[in-house]
mmCIF file with all atom_site columns, all heavy atoms in Angstrom:
data_model
loop_
_atom_site.group_PDB
_atom_site.id
_atom_site.type_symbol
_atom_site.label_atom_id
_atom_site.label_alt_id
_atom_site.label_comp_id
_atom_site.label_asym_id
_atom_site.label_entity_id
_atom_site.label_seq_id
_atom_site.pdbx_PDB_ins_code
_atom_site.Cartn_x
_atom_site.Cartn_y
_atom_site.Cartn_z
_atom_site.occupancy
_atom_site.B_iso_or_equiv
_atom_site.pdbx_formal_charge
_atom_site.auth_seq_id
_atom_site.auth_comp_id
_atom_site.auth_asym_id
_atom_site.auth_atom_id
_atom_site.pdbx_PDB_model_num
ATOM 1   N N   . TYR A 1 16  ? -12.522 -20.010 6.519   1.00 0.00 ? 189 TYR A N   1
ATOM 2   C CA  . TYR A 1 16  ? -12.068 -21.245 5.883   1.00 0.00 ? 189 TYR A CA  1
ATOM 3   C C   . TYR A 1 16  ? -10.621 -21.113 5.405   1.00 0.00 ? 189 TYR A C   1
ATOM 4   O O   . TYR A 1 16  ? -9.839  -22.076 5.496   1.00 0.00 ? 189 TYR A O   1
ATOM 5   C CB  . TYR A 1 16  ? -12.988 -21.619 4.717   1.00 0.00 ? 189 TYR A CB  1
ATOM 6   C CG  . TYR A 1 16  ? -14.338 -22.129 5.173   1.00 0.00 ? 189 TYR A CG  1
ATOM 7   C CD1 . TYR A 1 16  ? -15.432 -21.273 5.253   1.00 0.00 ? 189 TYR A CD1 1
ATOM 8   C CD2 . TYR A 1 16  ? -14.509 -23.455 5.527   1.00 0.00 ? 189 TYR A CD2 1
ATOM 9   C CE1 . TYR A 1 16  ? -16.673 -21.744 5.684   1.00 0.00 ? 189 TYR A CE1 1
ATOM 10  C CE2 . TYR A 1 16  ? -15.746 -23.935 5.956   1.00 0.00 ? 189 TYR A CE2 1
ATOM 11  C CZ  . TYR A 1 16  ? -16.820 -23.065 6.037   1.00 0.00 ? 189 TYR A CZ  1
ATOM 12  O OH  . TYR A 1 16  ? -18.046 -23.521 6.479   1.00 0.00 ? 189 TYR A OH  1
ATOM 13  N N   . GLU A 1 68  ? -3.023  11.380  -4.861  1.00 0.00 ? 241 GLU A N   1
ATOM 14  C CA  . GLU A 1 68  ? -3.335  11.061  -6.265  1.00 0.00 ? 241 GLU A CA  1
ATOM 15  C C   . GLU A 1 68  ? -3.883  12.253  -7.043  1.00 0.00 ? 241 GLU A C   1
ATOM 16  O O   . GLU A 1 68  ? -3.924  12.220  -8.273  1.00 0.00 ? 241 GLU A O   1
ATOM 17  C CB  . GLU A 1 68  ? -4.340  9.912   -6.315  1.00 0.00 ? 241 GLU A CB  1
ATOM 18  C CG  . GLU A 1 68  ? -3.892  8.651   -5.585  1.00 0.00 ? 241 GLU A CG  1
ATOM 19  C CD  . GLU A 1 68  ? -2.737  7.952   -6.272  1.00 0.00 ? 241 GLU A CD  1
ATOM 20  O OE1 . GLU A 1 68  ? -2.385  8.340   -7.410  1.00 0.00 ? 241 GLU A OE1 1
ATOM 21  O OE2 . GLU A 1 68  ? -2.186  7.008   -5.681  1.00 0.00 ? 241 GLU A OE2 1
ATOM 22  N N   . LEU A 1 105 ? -4.938  -9.439  -7.976  1.00 0.00 ? 278 LEU A N   1
ATOM 23  C CA  . LEU A 1 105 ? -4.273  -8.388  -7.197  1.00 0.00 ? 278 LEU A CA  1
ATOM 24  C C   . LEU A 1 105 ? -4.296  -7.046  -7.924  1.00 0.00 ? 278 LEU A C   1
ATOM 25  O O   . LEU A 1 105 ? -4.343  -5.991  -7.276  1.00 0.00 ? 278 LEU A O   1
ATOM 26  C CB  . LEU A 1 105 ? -2.839  -8.798  -6.867  1.00 0.00 ? 278 LEU A CB  1
ATOM 27  C CG  . LEU A 1 105 ? -2.715  -9.776  -5.696  1.00 0.00 ? 278 LEU A CG  1
ATOM 28  C CD1 . LEU A 1 105 ? -1.294  -10.321 -5.609  1.00 0.00 ? 278 LEU A CD1 1
ATOM 29  C CD2 . LEU A 1 105 ? -3.111  -9.104  -4.384  1.00 0.00 ? 278 LEU A CD2 1
ATOM 30  N N   . GLN A 1 107 ? -6.802  -6.033  -9.529  1.00 0.00 ? 280 GLN A N   1
ATOM 31  C CA  . GLN A 1 107 ? -8.129  -5.524  -9.161  1.00 0.00 ? 280 GLN A CA  1
ATOM 32  C C   . GLN A 1 107 ? -8.174  -5.073  -7.700  1.00 0.00 ? 280 GLN A C   1
ATOM 33  O O   . GLN A 1 107 ? -8.841  -4.086  -7.365  1.00 0.00 ? 280 GLN A O   1
ATOM 34  C CB  . GLN A 1 107 ? -9.189  -6.590  -9.415  1.00 0.00 ? 280 GLN A CB  1
ATOM 35  C CG  . GLN A 1 107 ? -9.475  -6.837  -10.878 1.00 0.00 ? 280 GLN A CG  1
ATOM 36  C CD  . GLN A 1 107 ? -9.923  -5.573  -11.592 1.00 0.00 ? 280 GLN A CD  1
ATOM 37  O OE1 . GLN A 1 107 ? -10.798 -4.845  -11.121 1.00 0.00 ? 280 GLN A OE1 1
ATOM 38  N NE2 . GLN A 1 107 ? -9.318  -5.281  -12.740 1.00 0.00 ? 280 GLN A NE2 1
ATOM 39  N N   . SER A 1 157 ? 13.880  -2.239  0.428   1.00 0.00 ? 330 SER A N   1
ATOM 40  C CA  . SER A 1 157 ? 14.674  -3.465  0.370   1.00 0.00 ? 330 SER A CA  1
ATOM 41  C C   . SER A 1 157 ? 14.571  -4.119  -1.006  1.00 0.00 ? 330 SER A C   1
ATOM 42  O O   . SER A 1 157 ? 15.568  -4.614  -1.546  1.00 0.00 ? 330 SER A O   1
ATOM 43  C CB  . SER A 1 157 ? 14.221  -4.438  1.459   1.00 0.00 ? 330 SER A CB  1
ATOM 44  O OG  . SER A 1 157 ? 14.487  -3.917  2.750   1.00 0.00 ? 330 SER A OG  1
ATOM 45  N N   . VAL A 1 180 ? 16.816  0.466   7.030   1.00 0.00 ? 353 VAL A N   1
ATOM 46  C CA  . VAL A 1 180 ? 17.243  0.306   8.420   1.00 0.00 ? 353 VAL A CA  1
ATOM 47  C C   . VAL A 1 180 ? 16.596  1.366   9.313   1.00 0.00 ? 353 VAL A C   1
ATOM 48  O O   . VAL A 1 180 ? 16.182  1.080   10.442  1.00 0.00 ? 353 VAL A O   1
ATOM 49  C CB  . VAL A 1 180 ? 18.780  0.372   8.521   1.00 0.00 ? 353 VAL A CB  1
ATOM 50  C CG1 . VAL A 1 180 ? 19.230  0.542   9.959   1.00 0.00 ? 353 VAL A CG1 1
ATOM 51  C CG2 . VAL A 1 180 ? 19.408  -0.877  7.920   1.00 0.00 ? 353 VAL A CG2 1
ATOM 52  N N   . ARG A 1 195 ? 23.644  -8.966  2.368   1.00 0.00 ? 368 ARG A N   1
ATOM 53  C CA  . ARG A 1 195 ? 24.163  -9.123  1.004   1.00 0.00 ? 368 ARG A CA  1
ATOM 54  C C   . ARG A 1 195 ? 25.139  -8.011  0.661   1.00 0.00 ? 368 ARG A C   1
ATOM 55  O O   . ARG A 1 195 ? 26.185  -8.250  0.046   1.00 0.00 ? 368 ARG A O   1
ATOM 56  C CB  . ARG A 1 195 ? 22.999  -9.142  0.012   1.00 0.00 ? 368 ARG A CB  1
ATOM 57  C CG  . ARG A 1 195 ? 23.448  -9.471  -1.402  1.00 0.00 ? 368 ARG A CG  1
ATOM 58  C CD  . ARG A 1 195 ? 22.293  -9.540  -2.378  1.00 0.00 ? 368 ARG A CD  1
ATOM 59  N NE  . ARG A 1 195 ? 22.801  -9.720  -3.728  1.00 0.00 ? 368 ARG A NE  1
ATOM 60  C CZ  . ARG A 1 195 ? 22.074  -9.560  -4.838  1.00 0.00 ? 368 ARG A CZ  1
ATOM 61  N NH1 . ARG A 1 195 ? 20.787  -9.232  -4.739  1.00 0.00 ? 368 ARG A NH1 1
ATOM 62  N NH2 . ARG A 1 195 ? 22.623  -9.721  -6.029  1.00 0.00 ? 368 ARG A NH2 1
ATOM 63  N N   . ALA A 1 197 ? 26.982  -6.335  2.783   1.00 0.00 ? 370 ALA A N   1
ATOM 64  C CA  . ALA A 1 197 ? 28.213  -6.537  3.559   1.00 0.00 ? 370 ALA A CA  1
ATOM 65  C C   . ALA A 1 197 ? 29.101  -7.607  2.925   1.00 0.00 ? 370 ALA A C   1
ATOM 66  O O   . ALA A 1 197 ? 30.340  -7.489  2.951   1.00 0.00 ? 370 ALA A O   1
ATOM 67  C CB  . ALA A 1 197 ? 27.856  -6.934  4.986   1.00 0.00 ? 370 ALA A CB  1
ATOM 68  N N   . ASP A 1 208 ? 26.223  9.531   3.686   1.00 0.00 ? 381 ASP A N   1
ATOM 69  C CA  . ASP A 1 208 ? 24.793  9.535   3.392   1.00 0.00 ? 381 ASP A CA  1
ATOM 70  C C   . ASP A 1 208 ? 24.477  10.449  2.213   1.00 0.00 ? 381 ASP A C   1
ATOM 71  O O   . ASP A 1 208 ? 23.632  10.126  1.366   1.00 0.00 ? 381 ASP A O   1
ATOM 72  C CB  . ASP A 1 208 ? 23.996  9.992   4.618   1.00 0.00 ? 381 ASP A CB  1
ATOM 73  C CG  . ASP A 1 208 ? 23.834  8.884   5.654   1.00 0.00 ? 381 ASP A CG  1
ATOM 74  O OD1 . ASP A 1 208 ? 24.149  7.726   5.339   1.00 0.00 ? 381 ASP A OD1 1
ATOM 75  O OD2 . ASP A 1 208 ? 23.382  9.192   6.765   1.00 0.00 ? 381 ASP A OD2 1
ATOM 76  N N   . THR A 1 222 ? 13.966  9.733   -1.208  1.00 0.00 ? 395 THR A N   1
ATOM 77  C CA  . THR A 1 222 ? 14.893  9.428   -0.118  1.00 0.00 ? 395 THR A CA  1
ATOM 78  C C   . THR A 1 222 ? 14.230  9.539   1.258   1.00 0.00 ? 395 THR A C   1
ATOM 79  O O   . THR A 1 222 ? 14.923  9.551   2.277   1.00 0.00 ? 395 THR A O   1
ATOM 80  C CB  . THR A 1 222 ? 16.126  10.350  -0.185  1.00 0.00 ? 395 THR A CB  1
ATOM 81  O OG1 . THR A 1 222 ? 15.685  11.720  -0.180  1.00 0.00 ? 395 THR A OG1 1
ATOM 82  C CG2 . THR A 1 222 ? 16.922  10.085  -1.443  1.00 0.00 ? 395 THR A CG2 1
ATOM 83  N N   . ALA A 1 229 ? 2.214   11.455  5.839   1.00 0.00 ? 402 ALA A N   1
ATOM 84  C CA  . ALA A 1 229 ? 2.351   11.741  7.272   1.00 0.00 ? 402 ALA A CA  1
ATOM 85  C C   . ALA A 1 229 ? 1.370   12.828  7.708   1.00 0.00 ? 402 ALA A C   1
ATOM 86  O O   . ALA A 1 229 ? 0.758   12.735  8.784   1.00 0.00 ? 402 ALA A O   1
ATOM 87  C CB  . ALA A 1 229 ? 3.786   12.144  7.585   1.00 0.00 ? 402 ALA A CB  1
ATOM 88  N N   . SER A 1 237 ? -5.644  13.918  14.756  1.00 0.00 ? 410 SER A N   1
ATOM 89  C CA  . SER A 1 237 ? -6.295  15.070  15.397  1.00 0.00 ? 410 SER A CA  1
ATOM 90  C C   . SER A 1 237 ? -7.817  14.911  15.408  1.00 0.00 ? 410 SER A C   1
ATOM 91  O O   . SER A 1 237 ? -8.471  15.172  16.425  1.00 0.00 ? 410 SER A O   1
ATOM 92  C CB  . SER A 1 237 ? -5.894  16.351  14.669  1.00 0.00 ? 410 SER A CB  1
ATOM 93  O OG  . SER A 1 237 ? -6.548  17.481  15.207  1.00 0.00 ? 410 SER A OG  1
ATOM 94  N N   . ALA A 1 242 ? -12.741 13.513  18.471  1.00 0.00 ? 415 ALA A N   1
ATOM 95  C CA  . ALA A 1 242 ? -13.927 12.661  18.620  1.00 0.00 ? 415 ALA A CA  1
ATOM 96  C C   . ALA A 1 242 ? -13.852 11.779  19.861  1.00 0.00 ? 415 ALA A C   1
ATOM 97  O O   . ALA A 1 242 ? -14.784 11.013  20.138  1.00 0.00 ? 415 ALA A O   1
ATOM 98  C CB  . ALA A 1 242 ? -14.095 11.786  17.379  1.00 0.00 ? 415 ALA A CB  1
ATOM 99  N N   . ARG A 1 245 ? -9.083  7.950   21.564  1.00 0.00 ? 418 ARG A N   1
ATOM 100 C CA  . ARG A 1 245 ? -7.659  8.090   21.861  1.00 0.00 ? 418 ARG A CA  1
ATOM 101 C C   . ARG A 1 245 ? -6.819  6.964   21.259  1.00 0.00 ? 418 ARG A C   1
ATOM 102 O O   . ARG A 1 245 ? -5.675  7.194   20.838  1.00 0.00 ? 418 ARG A O   1
ATOM 103 C CB  . ARG A 1 245 ? -7.456  8.139   23.383  1.00 0.00 ? 418 ARG A CB  1
ATOM 104 C CG  . ARG A 1 245 ? -8.048  9.379   24.047  1.00 0.00 ? 418 ARG A CG  1
ATOM 105 C CD  . ARG A 1 245 ? -7.731  9.413   25.523  1.00 0.00 ? 418 ARG A CD  1
ATOM 106 N NE  . ARG A 1 245 ? -8.249  10.624  26.157  1.00 0.00 ? 418 ARG A NE  1
ATOM 107 C CZ  . ARG A 1 245 ? -8.097  10.903  27.443  1.00 0.00 ? 418 ARG A CZ  1
ATOM 108 N NH1 . ARG A 1 245 ? -7.449  10.050  28.232  1.00 0.00 ? 418 ARG A NH1 1
ATOM 109 N NH2 . ARG A 1 245 ? -8.593  12.021  27.938  1.00 0.00 ? 418 ARG A NH2 1
ATOM 110 N N   . ARG A 1 254 ? 2.104   5.745   13.606  1.00 0.00 ? 427 ARG A N   1
ATOM 111 C CA  . ARG A 1 254 ? 2.454   5.441   12.217  1.00 0.00 ? 427 ARG A CA  1
ATOM 112 C C   . ARG A 1 254 ? 3.189   6.604   11.568  1.00 0.00 ? 427 ARG A C   1
ATOM 113 O O   . ARG A 1 254 ? 4.164   6.407   10.825  1.00 0.00 ? 427 ARG A O   1
ATOM 114 C CB  . ARG A 1 254 ? 1.190   5.081   11.434  1.00 0.00 ? 427 ARG A CB  1
ATOM 115 C CG  . ARG A 1 254 ? 0.679   3.692   11.746  1.00 0.00 ? 427 ARG A CG  1
ATOM 116 C CD  . ARG A 1 254 ? -0.753  3.473   11.269  1.00 0.00 ? 427 ARG A CD  1
ATOM 117 N NE  . ARG A 1 254 ? -0.890  3.579   9.827   1.00 0.00 ? 427 ARG A NE  1
ATOM 118 C CZ  . ARG A 1 254 ? -2.055  3.507   9.196   1.00 0.00 ? 427 ARG A CZ  1
ATOM 119 N NH1 . ARG A 1 254 ? -3.181  3.326   9.899   1.00 0.00 ? 427 ARG A NH1 1
ATOM 120 N NH2 . ARG A 1 254 ? -2.128  3.598   7.884   1.00 0.00 ? 427 ARG A NH2 1
ATOM 121 N N   . ALA A 1 266 ? 7.010   19.036  13.984  1.00 0.00 ? 439 ALA A N   1
ATOM 122 C CA  . ALA A 1 266 ? 6.955   20.211  13.122  1.00 0.00 ? 439 ALA A CA  1
ATOM 123 C C   . ALA A 1 266 ? 5.666   20.230  12.307  1.00 0.00 ? 439 ALA A C   1
ATOM 124 O O   . ALA A 1 266 ? 5.031   21.284  12.129  1.00 0.00 ? 439 ALA A O   1
ATOM 125 C CB  . ALA A 1 266 ? 8.172   20.239  12.208  1.00 0.00 ? 439 ALA A CB  1
ATOM 126 N N   . ILE A 1 268 ? 2.797   18.733  13.109  1.00 0.00 ? 441 ILE A N   1
ATOM 127 C CA  . ILE A 1 268 ? 1.665   18.990  14.013  1.00 0.00 ? 441 ILE A CA  1
ATOM 128 C C   . ILE A 1 268 ? 1.531   20.487  14.270  1.00 0.00 ? 441 ILE A C   1
ATOM 129 O O   . ILE A 1 268 ? 0.421   21.042  14.261  1.00 0.00 ? 441 ILE A O   1
ATOM 130 C CB  . ILE A 1 268 ? 1.856   18.218  15.336  1.00 0.00 ? 441 ILE A CB  1
ATOM 131 C CG1 . ILE A 1 268 ? 1.685   16.717  15.092  1.00 0.00 ? 441 ILE A CG1 1
ATOM 132 C CG2 . ILE A 1 268 ? 0.858   18.709  16.390  1.00 0.00 ? 441 ILE A CG2 1
ATOM 133 C CD1 . ILE A 1 268 ? 2.068   15.854  16.276  1.00 0.00 ? 441 ILE A CD1 1
ATOM 134 N N   . GLN A 1 283 ? -14.185 33.776  11.299  1.00 0.00 ? 456 GLN A N   1
ATOM 135 C CA  . GLN A 1 283 ? -14.867 34.685  12.212  1.00 0.00 ? 456 GLN A CA  1
ATOM 136 C C   . GLN A 1 283 ? -15.196 36.023  11.559  1.00 0.00 ? 456 GLN A C   1
ATOM 137 O O   . GLN A 1 283 ? -14.559 36.447  10.660  1.00 0.00 ? 456 GLN A O   1
ATOM 138 C CB  . GLN A 1 283 ? -13.984 34.909  13.448  1.00 0.00 ? 456 GLN A CB  1
ATOM 139 C CG  . GLN A 1 283 ? -13.833 33.659  14.302  1.00 0.00 ? 456 GLN A CG  1
ATOM 140 C CD  . GLN A 1 283 ? -12.919 33.881  15.497  1.00 0.00 ? 456 GLN A CD  1
ATOM 141 O OE1 . GLN A 1 283 ? -12.360 34.986  15.674  1.00 0.00 ? 456 GLN A OE1 1
ATOM 142 N NE2 . GLN A 1 283 ? -12.750 32.871  16.284  1.00 0.00 ? 456 GLN A NE2 1
#
Side-chain angles (χ1 to χ4, degrees):
Y189 288 96
E241 304 291 351
L278 281 170
Q280 288 302 312
S330 295
V353 166
R368 187 178 174 194
D381 281 349
T395 55
S410 177
R418 294 184 178 181
R427 285 165 63 184
I441 290 171
Q456 293 178 358

